[in-house]
Amino acid sequence: MSLFVNYAKFIISSKVEVKELKSNDALRRNMPVFSISVVTKLSELTARQIRYYETHELIKPQRSEGNKRLFSLNDLERLLEIKKLIEKGFNIKGIKQIFNEEQGQLTNDELETRKQMIVEATQKPQREAIPINRGDLSRFIK
């Protein structure tokens, strides 16, 4: 019987430790530690692009006492996601809608439609995504 009790205590303490690790991880991921220069190197975005995304409220970096932007790992992840969506052809309004979807502000029908549109847009080859009037001369060459 005591073996079972000890095992139960071990399982409960393990779950508590895992929960503490997850909360510590969340704290670390939300901790604003990166300056804009570090984020530009990690994300390969320009400082101007990052400030532009901030003005459109796609990211919300915290500010230091000297009013410098400080980014967390979650902010960096979001910037990389924005970069990927921009490369796939989404505009700022579309990206805002995708992020609003993640916050649960849409109905189930809207969610399904958006998911289908995102899948279709991201699975298209890049050549199909560019309109023919964008300098594609292949229509003149036989």
Side-chain angles (χ1 to χ4, degrees):
M1 184 74 171
S2 72
L3 180 64
F4 178 73
V5 172
N6 287 337
Y7 181 70
K9 286 180 182 177
F10 172 75
I11 295 296
I12 291 170
S13 67
S14 295
K15 288 181 180 179
V16 170
E17 288 176 17
V18 168
K19 192 173 185 177
E20 287 176 6
L21 286 175
K22 286 182 181 179
S23 65
N24 285 340
D25 186 46
L27 277 173
R28 278 187 239 116
R29 294 188 64 74
N30 287 319
M31 191 178 298
V33 292
F34 300 114
S35 66
I36 196 164
S37 61
V38 172
V39 172
T40 58
K41 289 177 185 171
L42 292 173
S43 66
E44 297 178 346
L45 293 168
T46 65
R48 177 72 188 111
Q49 288 172 306
I50 295 169
R51 288 190 298 267
Y52 180 77
Y53 300 147
E54 182 184 6
T55 59
H56 284 280
E57 299 176 350
L58 292 173
I59 57 168
K60 294 175 184 155
Q62 294 189 16
R63 299 286 182 139
S64 69
E65 290 179 15
N67 206 27
K68 291 184 179 181
R69 291 173 181 84
L70 292 176
F71 298 85
S72 67
L73 284 172
N74 288 337
D75 293 330
L76 181 59
E77 230 173 61
R78 188 160 208 167
L79 282 168
L80 292 172
E81 193 174 345
I82 292 168
K83 180 181 175 186
K84 183 179 84 172
L85 290 169
I86 294 282
E87 288 171 352
K88 294 291 185 181
F90 287 91
N91 60 16
I92 297 297
K93 186 176 180 181
I95 294 171
K96 278 184 184 180
Q97 289 176 347
I98 290 168
F99 288 159
N100 286 340
E101 169 188 313
E102 291 174 0
Q103 296 171 359
Q105 297 177 355
L106 300 175
T107 66
N108 287 338
D109 290 339
E110 290 173 325
L111 286 173
E112 287 302 317
T113 305
R114 290 259 166 78
K115 285 178 186 176
Q116 187 176 7
M117 289 172 58
I118 291 169
V119 167
E120 288 173 3
T122 56
Q123 290 180 352
K124 272 187 192 174
Q126 191 65 21
R127 183 172 171 85
E128 288 181 27
I130 299 174
I132 200 160
N133 62 358
R134 280 259 179 105
D136 183 14
L137 299 178
S138 64
R139 65 180 185 266
F140 298 111
I141 300 171
K142 300 215 180 200

